[in-house]
Amino acid sequence: MNFISRYRRSKFFGPALLAAALFVLGTSYSVASATTFKAVTPSNDKTTLIAEGKEIFARGCSSCHGLNLEGGAIAPSLIGVGAASVDFQVGTGRMPMADMSVQAARKDPIYNEAETAALAAYVASLAPGPAAIRNEDLAWERSGDAAEGGQLFRSNCSMCHNFAGQGGALSQGKYAPSLMGVEAKHIYEALITGPQSMPVFSDKIITPAEKLSIIKWIKAAESEPNLGGASLGRTGPVTEGLLSWSLGIMALIGVAVWITAKAK
Amino acid sequence: MSKSERVAGTVANYVDERTGAAKWLKKNLNKVFPDHWSFMLGEIALYSFIILLLTGTFLTFWYDPSMQEVEYEGSYQPLSGLKMSAAYASTLHISFDIRGGLLMRQIHHWAALLFMVAIVVHLLRVFFTGAFRKPREFNWILGIGLLTLGIVEGFLGYSLPDDLLSGTGIRIAEAIIQAIPVVGSYLAYFVFGGPFPGEVFIPRIYTVHILLLPGIFLALITAHLMLVWYQKHTQYPGPGRTEKNVVGYPLMPVYMAKAGGFFFIVFGFTAFLGAVASINPIWLFGPYTPAQITAGSQPDWYMGWLDGLVRMAPPLETHAFGHTISWNILIPALIIPGILFTGMALYPFIESWMTGDKREHHLLDRPRNAPNRTALGAMSLTFVLVTLLNGGNDLLATHFGLTINQIMWFSRIGVLVLPPIAFVITKRICLSLQRSDRELVLHGKETGRLVMLPHGEFIEIHEELSPEKKWTLTAHEQLPPLEIAQENQAGVRNPKGLRAKLQQYASKSHQEQIEKPSAKDVLELGDGRH
């Protein structure tokens, strides 16, 4: 501390201290508040949003879905699909498709949240449809019932998505995707819009409260640790059989070879 | 004599004077067993069975074989408050609220899978080495019986927890019973005590699973081992080994130590699997109700081939006289397995009919020296493998980017086309290996050393095999094909007619061999090179 005690009586010490304090304060404020200076946000003004959405649509979607959402030979019409459908398809990266395989696969989204919202607003502006869902509107953690959700899941979902939501095969190369790591709002939107091979589960068939329970059960299954050791994929007995034929019997045969080996 | 030896002697004498055990023990403790890793495969099955008895007994302490509806109040939250059968609730109780319960359940299930794997691997060893030949045909049939019972016992165990997966399995079993023409639906009512699912099948299969079948198992395993004991173990050909002796180590102390140690290794390994690898997580499946089903519903592997056959069956049905005959279930689930298992059980007799060989055999065949049998085995394995793959068609589709329809058509065609191809290829490989053996015996091993002779010729030095090795490669006998007279001297046709022709043909195919080198061949060669 010799350094400080030598100079603290200097007449420059006071102003220097003040400058340093101001610098620290200013820097930390600008760092702490950096998040508020986000890149250009689309305006919350609805008209602007729709206009932006229209532009993105014309650039990224219209080559298949048509300039007026009318659809075409390779893509369905989007009239009346609603913002929920757009938010699900674009928000999970399924649209735009990477290739023309039988089914759009989940991947990293091409458009960010703001762009997705603009697209959804544009599509919804042309014809009414189910509105997009926000994660914060889904109080599944508070109001869902996991046990009831599990029953509903097994009655309505597990025949395609597997008992633990790991996904399963459908005919002709189509499949029910895994539900692990899917956002709550996307699960909800899939239920109300019925993307691809999935049926629509309207609020009459599964009430909104029951949908929250299903989400709660899926999230519980997702976060459940593997209680019995390595999960082997939670896909049923096939991997168990594989393990008993590979590691299982091979290890025991290895021991048998060792036991009966001639002493050297 | 030390003090401890004196005490041991006194005790042994005491027992012997009352039971006369000494003579019997002395004889049997010195019994000799040949040493080979492939002779330990049946032991894996035996030890797995013991593990199954021990862990199974533990599970019975808490398992409640009842289909009475209860509300779950145990510690697994995602099922809390659900209505379920007492059987399922008690299995959850074992898994989550009994100390070591989940571990025991998992050891039990892993041991069951390994039990069946070991039985099949043991069966393959016995088949490919010809150990089923006279005098061991009965033991072969006992083994087939054990395999069949194992499949049934495993399936019943899989059904007991009454979770969504096991209920689905039972539903399919019901469909198979119903597919039996005419009496099927009555039989199903009889088994389930009324319409599916009823309330009796869990208690019923429980009794069969823990009492009847284990009892039969114990009896058959005892008979199986006693026959091995009485007929003595087979051995691989080699110097000093004949049809009249057994070369190996005595039971006491060598095999006692080896087999006893092996038991603990098998037990430890199964416990290891039970500790680190999840098997049948019933809490994820949820309770069974007939209205629910899950993707990825599969049987355990030993039924997977059956499931695969059913999955590839085309939708064929006949409606006649007010009855429906479901060929799509009847053929893959009952007729084909019936033919397979009958054929397998009768194979020793079929082979002896083909070869006309009615003598005893205690020396094993090297698989290549019985090309036809080895090829038949490869053919059967290919068949089962294709069906087994189709049993997991949904997982193959999702994990390898295929479509179920492609896999189904591959299986439908492959199950008919691939086995014959496997037969031909395997037979050719066996004959090539025989040729290679002949080459080895006559010309020795290629050493890679080239030598120039004085007159300029280059030769490669071949290293002659040791006499022991030569013996091993040539010890097998090669029977000529049967000569079956199709008509006698008076021109009267063989009364067996077609059967005689068939036997002649089968024998010719079965005895196709590359002639093994004779002593004369070796002598003619002289210095062991061309």
Side-chain angles (χ1 to χ4, degrees):
Chain A
M1 288 287 123
N2 280 342
F3 174 77
I4 292 174
S5 27
R6 200 184 313 157
Y7 290 107
R8 71 182 162 157
R9 305 256 172 231
S10 157
K11 57 180 171 182
F12 299 109
F13 190 73
L17 191 66
L18 185 67
L22 282 172
F23 179 75
V24 169
L25 197 67
T27 318
S28 47
Y29 176 75
S30 69
V31 169
S33 62
T35 47
T36 60
F37 290 96
K38 219 179 161 186
V40 210
T41 43
S43 163
N44 283 330
D45 178 19
K46 210 170 173 190
T47 333
T48 336
L49 201 63
I50 291 171
E52 277 169 15
K54 185 172 184 178
E55 201 192 311
I56 299 172
F57 189 89
R59 255 188 291 119
C61 320
S62 63
S63 59
C64 302
H65 288 290
L67 278 167
N68 298 308
L69 283 64
E70 73 273 21
I74 53 167
S77 158
L78 298 182
I79 292 164
V81 298
S85 191
V86 179
D87 192 50
F88 173 82
Q89 299 283 359
V90 180
T92 60
R94 287 185 166 79
M95 287 290 150
M97 281 175 90
D99 57 66
M100 293 303 294
S101 48
V102 279
Q103 188 168 329
R106 188 169 136 202
K107 58 181 186 291
D108 286 339
I110 310 263
Y111 296 118
N112 64 27
E113 269 180 53
E115 290 164 329
T116 309
L119 268 174
Y122 169 63
V123 170
S125 73
L126 295 183
I133 309 288
R134 292 186 307 163
N135 276 331
E136 45 273 34
D137 293 340
L138 298 176
W140 57 269
E141 275 163 310
R142 231 178 324 115
S143 51
D145 175 352
E148 187 206 10
Q151 277 300 63
L152 288 163
F153 187 87
R154 287 186 287 275
S155 297
N156 296 289
C157 320
S158 65
M159 74 262 295
C160 302
H161 285 286
N162 150 306
F163 58 92
Q166 299 293 325
L170 304 175
S171 59
Q172 304 290 2
K174 292 184 292 250
Y175 58 92
S178 162
L179 303 177
M180 299 296 101
V182 180
E183 279 184 53
K185 68 165 183 174
H186 289 144
I187 298 176
Y188 199 99
E189 285 165 350
L191 282 164
I192 57 175
T193 62
Q196 308 194 35
S197 306
M198 184 163 159
V200 173
F201 292 92
S202 73
D203 287 353
K204 280 185 192 148
I205 298 170
I206 297 181
T207 66
E210 289 174 336
K211 286 183 174 117
L212 295 186
S213 296
I214 291 179
I215 292 173
K216 183 160 187 175
W217 185 86
I218 294 173
K219 293 292 169 191
E222 185 179 299
S223 58
E224 181 179 302
N226 291 314
L227 302 169
S231 75
L232 308 186
R234 292 187 180 174
T235 50
V238 170
T239 43
E240 296 161 4
L242 202 59
L243 187 71
S244 53
W245 270 97
S246 51
L247 174 70
I249 196 65
M250 290 308 158
L252 291 178
I253 289 179
V255 172
V257 171
W258 171 59
I259 287 181
T260 51
K262 284 214 166 52
K264 284 192 178 131
Chain B
M1 199 189 279
S2 74
K3 194 180 168 215
S4 58
E5 278 171 336
R6 221 167 35 241
V7 173
T10 315
V11 172
N13 196 44
Y14 182 89
V15 175
D16 183 43
E17 281 174 357
R18 280 154 188 83
T19 62
K23 198 178 153 201
W24 186 87
L25 271 177
K26 191 179 173 198
K27 180 174 165 237
N28 285 297
L29 286 179
N30 284 329
K31 199 167 179 75
V32 164
F33 281 90
D35 217 11
H36 194 269
W37 64 266
S38 70
F39 299 160
M40 309 287 273
L41 299 171
E43 277 179 51
I44 300 177
L46 176 67
Y47 299 150
S48 302
F49 182 70
I50 296 171
I51 298 166
L52 285 167
L53 285 183
L54 294 174
T55 51
T57 306
F58 179 93
L59 297 175
T60 61
F61 295 163
W62 291 281
Y63 178 73
D64 179 6
S66 154
M67 297 177 80
Q68 199 194 345
E69 194 174 73
V70 297
E71 193 166 304
Y72 181 64
E73 285 162 353
S75 52
Y76 183 67
Q77 284 309 307
L79 293 174
S80 178
L82 286 191
K83 298 264 193 289
M84 56 182 64
S85 68
Y88 183 57
S90 64
T91 316
L92 288 171
H93 183 66
I94 292 172
S95 304
F96 294 119
D97 299 305
I98 298 295
R99 186 159 308 188
L102 180 57
L103 178 66
M104 282 295 185
R105 256 198 63 226
Q106 300 207 131
I107 296 178
H108 192 70
H109 205 142
W110 280 120
L113 293 195
L114 283 174
F115 178 58
M116 295 307 297
V117 175
I119 288 180
V120 170
V121 178
H122 173 60
L123 178 145
L124 293 177
R125 197 281 294 170
V126 169
F127 178 83
F128 283 113
T129 58
F132 54 80
R133 289 171 298 171
K134 190 182 171 187
R136 294 180 178 80
E137 301 99 322
F138 286 169
N139 226 11
W140 168 264
I141 292 177
L142 280 179
I144 301 298
L146 283 165
L147 170 70
T148 318
L149 281 183
I151 293 175
V152 176
E153 176 75 338
F155 176 70
L156 295 185
Y158 165 102
S159 306
L160 281 175
D162 202 25
D163 59 313
L164 188 51
L165 189 61
S166 54
T168 305
I170 294 188
R171 179 100 227 207
I172 294 168
E174 190 221 6
I176 294 174
I177 298 174
Q178 283 178 333
I180 301 171
V182 186
V183 296
S185 47
Y186 302 100
L187 268 183
Y189 266 62
F190 179 67
V191 169
F192 290 92
F196 184 85
E199 284 179 345
V200 296
F201 75 80
I202 291 277
R204 283 183 182 175
I205 62 177
Y206 183 63
T207 311
V208 176
H209 181 77
I210 69 159
L211 180 71
L212 181 64
L213 289 184
I216 300 177
F217 260 113
L218 271 178
L220 290 188
I221 290 175
T222 310
H224 200 65
L225 291 178
M226 277 170 65
L227 275 175
V228 173
W229 199 273
Y230 173 71
Q231 295 172 336
K232 300 178 186 64
H233 207 289
T234 51
Q235 57 187 344
Y236 285 100
R241 297 173 184 184
T242 68
E243 296 281 7
K244 304 231 177 258
N245 69 3
V246 181
V247 179
Y249 296 101
L251 184 71
M252 182 76 182
V254 177
Y255 264 94
M256 285 289 201
K258 284 191 178 186
F262 196 37
F263 169 72
F264 290 106
I265 289 174
V266 173
F267 205 156
F269 180 73
T270 316
F272 166 77
L273 277 183
V276 302
S278 179
I279 186 164
N280 197 15
I282 51 142
W283 55 91
L284 287 173
F285 287 103
Y288 181 63
T289 72
Q292 297 175 348
I293 184 80
T294 165
S297 290
Q298 319 269 7
D300 277 339
W301 76 263
Y302 45 82
M303 300 264 288
W305 59 280
L306 254 174
D307 193 30
L309 275 169
V310 174
R311 284 178 188 217
M312 73 173 79
L316 291 175
E317 274 185 2
T318 311
H319 304 273
F321 307 110
H323 287 280
T324 304
I325 298 182
S326 300
W327 299 108
N328 51 345
I329 302 286
L330 186 63
I331 294 176
L334 289 165
I335 295 179
I336 295 179
I339 294 173
L340 282 181
F341 275 77
T342 312
M344 198 151 61
L346 294 182
Y347 184 75
F349 308 103
I350 297 173
E351 190 181 295
S352 112
W353 174 77
M354 286 197 287
T355 55
D357 185 359
K358 312 286 179 205
R359 298 163 308 160
E360 286 202 2
H361 290 277
H362 301 285
L363 279 178
L364 296 172
D365 279 329
R366 300 169 76 223
R368 69 186 60 173
N369 290 333
N372 216 54
R373 179 202 300 146
T374 306
L376 277 172
M379 185 170 101
S380 317
L381 273 183
T382 310
F383 178 87
V384 172
L385 198 66
V386 172
T387 57
L388 191 61
L389 284 176
N390 195 51
N393 58 3
D394 48 343
L395 288 179
L396 287 180
T398 51
H399 287 70
F400 294 97
L402 303 167
T403 85
I404 282 207
N405 306 63
Q406 287 167 354
I407 300 172
M408 185 185 69
W409 277 107
F410 170 82
S411 316
R412 281 180 177 173
I413 299 169
V415 85
L416 298 174
V417 171
L418 293 180
I421 295 178
F423 179 90
V424 172
I425 292 178
T426 311
K427 191 160 179 184
R428 291 300 119 190
I429 290 177
C430 286
L431 292 174
S432 299
L433 287 170
Q434 286 190 9
R435 244 177 238 118
S436 139
D437 280 353
R438 183 185 161 88
E439 187 70 16
L440 268 177
V441 170
L442 290 181
H443 304 299
K445 267 193 285 203
E446 292 178 4
T447 58
R449 277 186 291 135
L450 292 178
V451 173
M452 193 171 82
L453 298 182
H455 57 275
E457 183 194 351
F458 283 97
I459 60 159
E460 185 186 2
I461 303 285
H462 285 233
E463 191 184 331
E464 206 180 342
L465 294 185
S466 67
E468 291 82 12
K469 185 85 187 160
K470 277 186 186 166
W471 171 275
T472 309
L473 294 186
T474 54
H476 61 286
E477 62 176 2
Q478 294 182 319
L479 293 177
L482 291 177
E483 293 292 340
I484 302 166
Q486 300 299 327
E487 54 184 39
N488 69 8
Q489 285 163 339
V492 178
R493 277 201 302 134
N494 188 331
K496 283 176 178 172
L498 188 65
R499 226 171 82 196
K501 260 194 188 139
L502 201 65
Q503 191 180 9
Q504 177 75 72
Y505 177 79
S507 168
K508 219 174 136 189
S509 160
H510 202 85
Q511 308 297 25
E512 190 178 344
Q513 304 268 10
I514 302 301
E515 201 187 334
K516 68 174 184 178
S518 64
K520 200 166 133 254
D521 290 334
V522 177
L523 285 176
E524 271 174 10
L525 274 171
D527 59 353
R529 60 177 178 86
H530 284 282

